[in-house]
Amino acid sequence: MKFFYNISKVEDYEYIVVRLEEDNLSGAGAILPIRKRGENYKIFMGIIEEYRSLIEHTTSDEAFLITEKLNKHFPGHPKVTFAIQAAMLSLFSKKHNIELQKLIGGLETPRNELCGERLFPEYEGDVLKLRCLAQDSSSNLTRTYVLTKYPKNEMDEVLSALSTNFKYLEVLSWRELL
């Protein structure tokens, strides 16, 4: 697998785009450093470099295991693992011709309203964990899934498919998070 990452800039704001390629297909993910949370793109670049060799020696068929492998190697970096897993799932869906909605989506048509705790998927670090979390009927906790619109619509397909597992939805522009 080929692994690329670079800094993208929009309106004097820098964020990271990761791209995975395999068999002339590609998947992308992105990481938005939120300054008011003390995040910086330089820190994320170092974490990505730590994961580089591990990712280059995987295949898209390991999309369902990649987060566990990354966390075992260097734990505690959910935004980076989420972006990489999103890129791998996107690549996996293209390679096997399976719609992302069928792969990670649910049956809900979420209502555009706030209700309960706000859930930012990037901070959970695992797409599949979020899918299961949404379907956990034993929890009485109501969550509003926050779908972030990235500057160039990176991860839109993954985040949109994942949102259909939740009853409530809030859509935010990347600018609103800064």
Side-chain angles (χ1 to χ4, degrees):
M1 171 161 332
K2 293 180 184 175
F3 177 50
F4 305 96
Y5 60 97
N6 65 308
I7 301 290
S8 283
K9 194 170 184 176
V10 61
E11 299 175 17
D12 291 327
Y13 175 73
E14 296 158 324
Y15 68 103
I16 303 162
V17 175
V18 296
R19 194 175 83 246
L20 301 172
E21 291 183 358
E22 184 180 70
D23 301 331
N24 295 320
L25 300 169
S26 70
I31 303 164
L32 293 171
I34 309 301
R35 293 179 185 144
K36 62 185 170 191
R37 289 190 179 208
E39 297 174 350
N40 184 306
Y41 77 88
K42 293 174 187 174
I43 294 167
F44 289 121
M45 295 294 276
I47 296 163
I48 291 168
E49 190 58 37
E50 183 70 31
Y51 290 148
R52 179 193 257 307
S53 64
L54 188 63
I55 295 165
E56 288 175 337
H57 291 94
T58 62
T59 67
S60 61
D61 291 333
E62 296 176 79
F64 301 95
L65 304 172
I66 192 64
T67 301
E68 184 179 334
K69 285 175 100 172
L70 295 176
N71 284 329
K72 189 180 239 185
H73 178 72
F74 190 44
H77 304 288
K79 287 181 90 169
V80 178
T81 56
F82 188 88
I84 292 168
Q85 187 183 35
M88 284 192 88
L89 286 167
S90 178
L91 182 59
F92 179 90
S93 74
K94 291 173 186 172
K95 182 179 176 181
H96 295 284
N97 202 23
I98 302 169
E99 292 176 37
L100 269 172
Q101 176 61 35
K102 290 181 179 175
L103 194 62
I104 61 171
L107 303 174
E108 291 281 343
T109 302
R111 288 185 252 161
N112 230 354
E113 63 182 88
L114 291 174
C115 189
E117 177 185 295
R118 292 169 88 197
L119 178 69
F120 290 85
E122 296 89 340
Y123 287 102
E124 290 299 318
D126 189 339
V127 174
L128 303 173
K129 176 183 169 186
L130 273 166
R131 189 174 190 278
C132 294
L133 182 70
Q135 297 170 348
D136 181 10
S137 59
S138 66
S139 173
N140 292 332
L141 185 62
T142 303
R143 296 179 178 96
T144 297
Y145 178 90
V146 180
L147 191 155
T148 303
K149 293 302 221 171
Y150 284 73
K152 296 177 185 162
N153 298 321
E154 297 93 348
M155 297 203 303
D156 256 12
E157 193 177 12
V158 170
L159 291 172
S160 294
L162 193 56
S163 74
T164 61
N165 290 293
F166 293 85
K167 189 173 183 176
Y168 301 104
L169 174 72
E170 179 182 10
V171 179
L172 290 178
S173 161
W174 62 274
R175 287 181 199 90
E176 294 175 79
L177 295 174
L178 303 180

